Amino acid sequence: GRVVYVNPAGVRGFGAQSSEQLVGRVITEQVHPDSIASMLARISTLREQGDASPPAEAVLLRLDGSPIDVEAVSVLTTWNGKPAYQVIFRDLTEQKAAQATLHYQAALVDHVSDAIIATSTTGRVMSWNPAAERIYRRPAARALGLPISEAVDADVELANIVSDGGMSYATHRSADGSPLHVRMSVTAMEHGYVLLCSDQTARRRAEQHFQTVVTSFRDGVVVLDAHGTPQFINPAALRILG
């Protein structure tokens, strides 16, 4: 069970400066306690020279004690004429990190309140998150594969939106025909487009209600944007300002 050889990749994997730091050590010192039993069980099944265990995930320990996720294969062989085990391991750290990131991104896509829709370069729906199902009242099974204009029931020119800055305000319709006032952000990707559609219907209703009420005021009301430019002026303000 003692290490007799470590190649350069193994030296790097264990965080050592040279193989001399590892040769002579008992291999279980470099295996996380939770992985020792399964590792020994796999080795015990090797009977004939050349037998190899199936690839299995394990946690090894670097010299500084930090864990390293690996995929390992053990082979029964000989070393200097004596029975030995050759262990080949592949570092899974980056793969695990990528998987965790993908799971996190998937969770975000599933729980955000905005519709996130991915399309092919030709504009066919490839992905339709739960928020898109709620906003457009169309299940993913009935949206996937449709042209985006059909899925949102509105003319959508993705390439034109991107070339115009990537943002568009438009009226879409849900599957039951209800109008939806949507702010749509479009990003071009390598194999298509990603759309972020925010339902502005409630906000639009509030704005319309505001305008209806304020229009009847005897006091002048002017709504300015962040740069001081008038966005709304009620009739009383028009009279007052001439």
Side-chain angles (χ1 to χ4, degrees):
R2 292 188 180 276
V3 177
V4 295
Y5 170 79
V6 185
N7 77 340
V11 172
R12 292 193 299 273
F14 283 115
Q17 298 299 315
S18 67
S19 61
E20 284 75 14
Q21 291 179 277
L22 296 163
V23 171
R25 285 176 172 265
V26 177
I27 187 60
T28 50
E29 294 179 5
Q30 306 305 139
V31 180
H32 191 281
D34 293 343
S35 294
I36 291 177
S38 56
M39 180 195 75
L40 295 177
R42 288 193 299 274
I43 288 177
S44 68
T45 64
L46 307 179
R47 305 296 186 189
E48 303 291 335
Q49 184 171 329
D51 285 353
S53 66
E57 291 190 15
V59 180
L60 303 184
L61 297 174
R62 297 185 178 92
L63 288 183
D64 63 6
S66 60
I68 171 175
D69 293 308
V70 303
E71 181 183 75
V73 174
S74 298
V75 182
L76 183 60
T77 184
T78 59
W79 182 264
N80 291 334
K82 296 180 180 180
Y85 295 105
Q86 183 183 39
V87 182
I88 304 99
F89 67 89
R90 180 167 61 93
D91 188 351
L92 297 181
T93 305
E94 292 186 2
Q95 180 178 324
K96 292 280 188 178
Q99 288 174 344
T101 300
L102 288 173
H103 287 314
Y104 177 69
Q105 289 175 336
L108 283 180
V109 169
D110 285 344
H111 291 94
V112 294
S113 59
D114 293 337
I116 298 178
I117 305 167
T119 76
S120 64
T121 53
T122 59
R124 290 195 174 272
V125 175
M126 307 297 291
S127 176
W128 186 267
N129 77 332
E133 293 185 313
R134 292 191 299 271
I135 291 172
Y136 291 99
R137 300 181 185 179
R138 187 188 300 273
R142 290 173 49 199
L144 296 177
L146 290 178
I148 185 61
S149 294
E150 186 175 338
V152 303
D153 196 5
D155 290 333
V156 178
E157 297 294 339
L158 297 174
N160 291 344
I161 295 173
V162 171
S163 64
D164 288 341
M167 182 75 72
S168 171
Y169 289 86
T171 299
H172 296 176
R173 291 189 179 277
S174 63
D176 63 4
S178 302
L180 299 167
H181 300 288
V182 174
R183 183 186 65 199
M184 182 167 55
S185 300
V186 182
T187 303
M189 306 296 283
E190 183 178 358
H191 300 295
Y193 298 90
V194 174
L195 291 67
L196 181 68
C197 300
S198 177
D199 185 3
Q200 303 286 293
T201 305
R203 177 181 173 181
R204 182 68 175 272
R205 288 199 190 105
E207 288 176 345
Q208 290 174 339
H209 178 69
F210 166 83
Q211 291 182 8
T212 300
V213 173
V214 173
T215 297
S216 64
F217 281 4
R218 296 178 61 186
D219 295 330
V221 177
V222 180
V223 179
L224 310 176
D225 66 13
H227 304 289
T229 304
Q231 301 295 302
F232 172 80
I233 304 174
N234 77 338
L238 293 176
R239 290 194 300 272
I240 292 169
L241 297 173

